Amino acid sequence: MPSPHDEIGNGADRTSTPYPITWGSIMTITERRRADAARRSALPDVSASRSTAHQFVLDALRDAILSGSLPAGARLIQTEIAARLGVSTTPVREAIRDLIGSGLVQSDVHRGAVVRALDSDELPEVYEIRKILETSLIDKIVENIDEQELARAEKLLEEMDRTAAHATWGMLNRRFHALLTAAARSPRLEAMVHSVADLATMTEVDAVRESPSLTIDADREHRALLDAIRRKRPDQAREIVRRHLDRALVAVLHTRGEAVGKVAS
């Protein structure tokens, strides 16, 4: 049996994966620096800091998984990832371990680290947890959100309206919800929300790919939610969040061909 270290993204048995890694949307350090130039004055040199390199690789892999560039079942081979991103295998190994801890990746004895496939029977619980956590933050969001955050949220909604790419919409959707969550100024709850919401994002991108029209209702609910928060109406915002997440769960299950029972609210 392989050692625990061998199980995490080793290079053995490469022909066993049905999902080859698609690197087209994963940027190298240099490419990401250029893409972020409009938002940041400079990106720290990842070679100068092990922790920075680790975060860079973690962000790159998480984005690729959540956008569907690395689909469920894809193997994460350390040497390939390191070569693509221009880093050593050490931050890659550490990032993969973090992704295993968050539930986005699982370690298989025979295949190493692979992108997790979320089972349909797990989804109702995931969305129920999201409802509990996200509605619990509404009062704090309404109290603490500032005008700059409201403006950024509005800009994200405009970008979502314009895009026709399902993966882009999915990542903008994630950023919109993350912005609102951060406005609560409750970092521990924020971390919990992100860990559960990321699991949902993996499935929602697939649903939008199959049924692009799902974004129409979602965008309408996003605008209603932002309006309720701007007008300081927490009860209305909570109800919108519940409906929004119920609708998302039904859409995801429908895309998977699953029978949709009564969704708890």
Side-chain angles (χ1 to χ4, degrees):
M1 178 179 294
S3 70
H5 295 293
D6 292 335
E7 291 176 16
I8 302 177
N10 62 48
D13 191 23
R14 295 182 180 220
T15 60
S16 65
T17 175
Y19 300 107
I21 293 177
T22 302
W23 291 113
S25 63
I26 301 181
M27 295 182 287
T28 64
I29 294 172
T30 301
E31 291 166 343
R32 179 162 290 203
R33 281 176 176 161
R34 291 171 181 165
D36 290 348
R39 296 186 296 110
R40 305 178 186 177
S41 59
L43 183 68
D45 183 358
V46 299
S47 64
S49 169
R50 176 176 171 180
S51 62
T52 304
H54 166 229
Q55 189 62 50
F56 166 75
V57 176
L58 180 60
D59 290 344
L61 290 178
R62 182 190 291 116
D63 287 353
I65 291 169
L66 296 181
S67 68
S69 295
L70 288 175
R75 292 185 60 215
L76 304 183
I77 300 173
Q78 290 181 38
T79 53
E80 290 184 3
I81 296 170
R84 171 59 186 170
L85 298 181
V87 298
S88 71
T89 57
T90 298
V92 175
R93 181 169 60 252
E94 293 170 346
I96 289 174
R97 283 176 173 162
D98 283 351
L99 292 169
I100 290 173
S102 70
L104 294 180
V105 171
Q106 61 187 26
S107 181
D108 184 272
V109 173
H110 302 292
R111 301 179 60 223
V114 297
V115 178
R116 181 183 176 191
L118 202 64
D119 293 335
S120 294
D121 58 6
E122 298 177 86
L123 289 172
E125 183 178 27
V126 167
Y127 278 89
E128 187 63 27
I129 293 171
R130 281 192 68 184
K131 281 196 291 185
I132 293 170
L133 292 176
E134 294 186 31
T135 56
S136 73
L137 289 175
I138 290 295
D139 285 332
K140 292 182 179 181
I141 293 171
V142 168
E143 178 182 355
N144 294 318
I145 197 166
D146 59 35
E147 289 300 321
Q148 289 185 335
E149 288 167 320
L150 288 170
R152 291 203 301 272
E154 183 65 37
K155 185 176 180 180
L156 286 171
L157 293 183
E158 292 172 0
E159 292 181 50
M160 292 166 77
D161 282 340
R162 289 194 299 266
T163 186
H166 63 268
T168 301
W169 186 92
M171 298 309 289
L172 290 170
N173 177 57
R174 179 177 182 266
R175 287 171 57 191
F176 173 79
H177 285 282
L179 188 156
L180 296 183
T181 301
R185 315 287 189 258
S186 184
R188 290 180 179 82
L189 278 174
E190 180 183 355
M192 294 172 66
V193 169
H194 287 333
S195 66
V196 181
D198 281 351
L199 294 175
T201 297
M202 297 173 67
T203 62
E204 289 169 0
V205 170
D206 288 338
V208 171
R209 181 189 296 112
E210 295 294 326
S211 302
S213 62
L214 291 173
T215 62
I216 298 173
D217 286 333
D219 288 343
R220 186 182 300 116
E221 289 165 349
H222 289 148
R223 289 201 172 278
L225 173 59
L226 186 60
D227 184 66
I229 291 171
R230 183 184 286 112
R231 294 172 181 272
K232 307 293 185 184
R233 297 175 178 174
D235 290 340
Q236 182 182 0
R238 267 188 290 272
E239 182 58 30
I240 293 169
V241 168
R242 292 189 186 100
R243 291 201 311 266
H244 182 64
L245 295 178
D246 284 345
R247 187 190 299 274
L249 172 59
V250 170
V252 168
L253 290 175
H254 180 75
T255 300
R256 291 177 168 217
E258 301 287 343
V260 180
K262 182 177 177 60
V263 178
S265 58

